[in-house]
Amino acid sequence: GNSVTQMEGPVTLSEEAFLTINCTYTATGYPSLFWYVQYPGEGLQLLLKATKADDKGSNKGFEATYRKETTSFHLEKGSVQVSDSAVYFCALKRYSTLTFGKGTMLLVSP
Amino acid sequence: EAGVVQSPRYKIIEKKQPVAFWCNPISGHNTLYWYLQNLGQGPELLIRYENEEAVDDSQLPKDRFSAERLKGVDSTLKIQPAELGDSAVYLCASSLSGREGQETQYFGPGTRLLVL
């Protein structure tokens, strides 16, 4: 079946540090890949997506590249801010069904 | 444009009591989803509707859970009777169905249920 594996958190960084959150997936066929972010007390918000191999999704300084050869979709940001503190979910979509990872909490300190 | 609306935001009930959650999707979105999110986990699909039809309810525990989407717009998810293990966040999402890979699901804020 389909599955998503994310690095465990929390990830603790200082402001302006470089961020990487690893995500790998297992899926049949060619899924679309997503990163969602969940701020405290809020629902999930789409952060970025990629629909085919080698696509790069980007938004708000975050980016991730769909790597079919390594079945990965790692999230990166060059300089994090305190306001980026949230839980980040990697997900794949196949036939309208989203499969999520367990989420990675990011804590950014001033 | 308004996002996905859910109510209530929080609900505390005693076990064996019934509970219902309501969702209003983004206007024009024909696909509606209910997800269950346990603490420290990612959301898991309970049921997916295409208009009024439940097209995927394979993960819905039908002995105690039920859902409906009358008129293909609003939806209600019900639990009767609730058990302690049902304590979780119930998320609703909607999307505009189209070509595979082009749909994006938009989530509501969720209903946080605590069963005592």
Side-chain angles (χ1 to χ4, degrees):
Chain A
N2 299 329
S3 66
V4 175
T5 302
Q6 293 181 233
M7 61 188 291
E8 287 195 22
V11 173
T12 305
L13 296 173
S14 298
E15 206 164 23
E16 299 184 2
F18 184 86
L19 168 71
T20 299
I21 300 178
N22 291 337
C23 170
T24 58
Y25 68 90
T26 302
T28 56
Y30 304 98
S32 296
L33 300 175
F34 301 79
W35 277 100
Y36 280 84
V37 58
Q38 188 173 35
Y39 297 101
E42 299 185 15
L44 278 76
Q45 301 175 24
L46 178 65
L47 181 59
L48 53 85
K49 67 178 182 180
T51 58
K52 61 183 187 297
D54 299 325
D55 269 2
K56 178 186 284 188
S58 61
N59 185 27
K60 299 180 181 180
F62 292 89
E63 58 182 35
T65 301
Y66 189 142
R67 301 288 188 198
K68 183 170 176 289
E69 63 276 12
T70 55
T71 62
S72 65
F73 193 54
H74 304 321
L75 182 68
E76 297 181 336
K77 186 175 185 182
S79 176
V80 293
Q81 305 300 311
V82 172
S83 57
D84 293 327
S85 297
V87 180
Y88 292 81
F89 291 91
C90 184
L92 68 84
K93 187 164 73 67
R94 191 83 177 105
Y95 300 121
S96 297
T97 298
L98 269 176
T99 300
F100 287 88
K102 292 186 176 182
T104 302
M105 180 178 287
L106 171 64
L107 299 172
V108 181
S109 57
Chain B
E1 179 181 304
V4 176
V5 179
Q6 291 188 247
S7 69
R9 291 294 310 275
Y10 305 92
K11 189 74 176 178
I12 301 174
I13 62 172
E14 294 188 346
K15 63 181 180 182
K16 300 185 182 179
Q17 294 300 305
V19 64
F21 315 124
W22 175 80
C23 173
N24 182 246
I26 292 173
S27 178
H29 281 193
N30 55 339
T31 306
L32 184 145
Y33 313 77
W34 283 102
Y35 287 87
L36 166 68
Q37 185 178 18
N38 285 306
L39 188 64
Q41 303 293 316
E44 299 174 4
L45 181 69
L46 289 172
I47 189 168
R48 174 168 65 95
Y49 282 93
E50 295 283 349
N51 300 303
E52 310 85 21
E53 183 182 0
V55 297
D56 183 356
D57 63 356
S58 57
Q59 301 304 311
L60 189 72
K62 299 180 185 63
D63 56 336
R64 296 184 301 107
F65 286 66
S66 64
E68 61 182 12
R69 192 185 183 198
L70 302 176
K71 301 181 181 179
V73 181
D74 295 3
S75 177
T76 303
L77 178 69
K78 297 178 181 177
I79 308 175
Q80 183 171 12
E83 297 178 352
L84 295 177
D86 296 331
S87 296
V89 177
Y90 292 82
L91 295 168
C92 180
S94 69
S95 69
L96 185 61
S97 64
R99 279 192 301 147
E100 171 69 20
Q102 301 302 311
E103 312 148 7
T104 295
Q105 294 184 26
Y106 296 89
F107 285 79
T111 296
R112 187 175 298 274
L113 174 67
L114 179 59
V115 182
L116 302 176

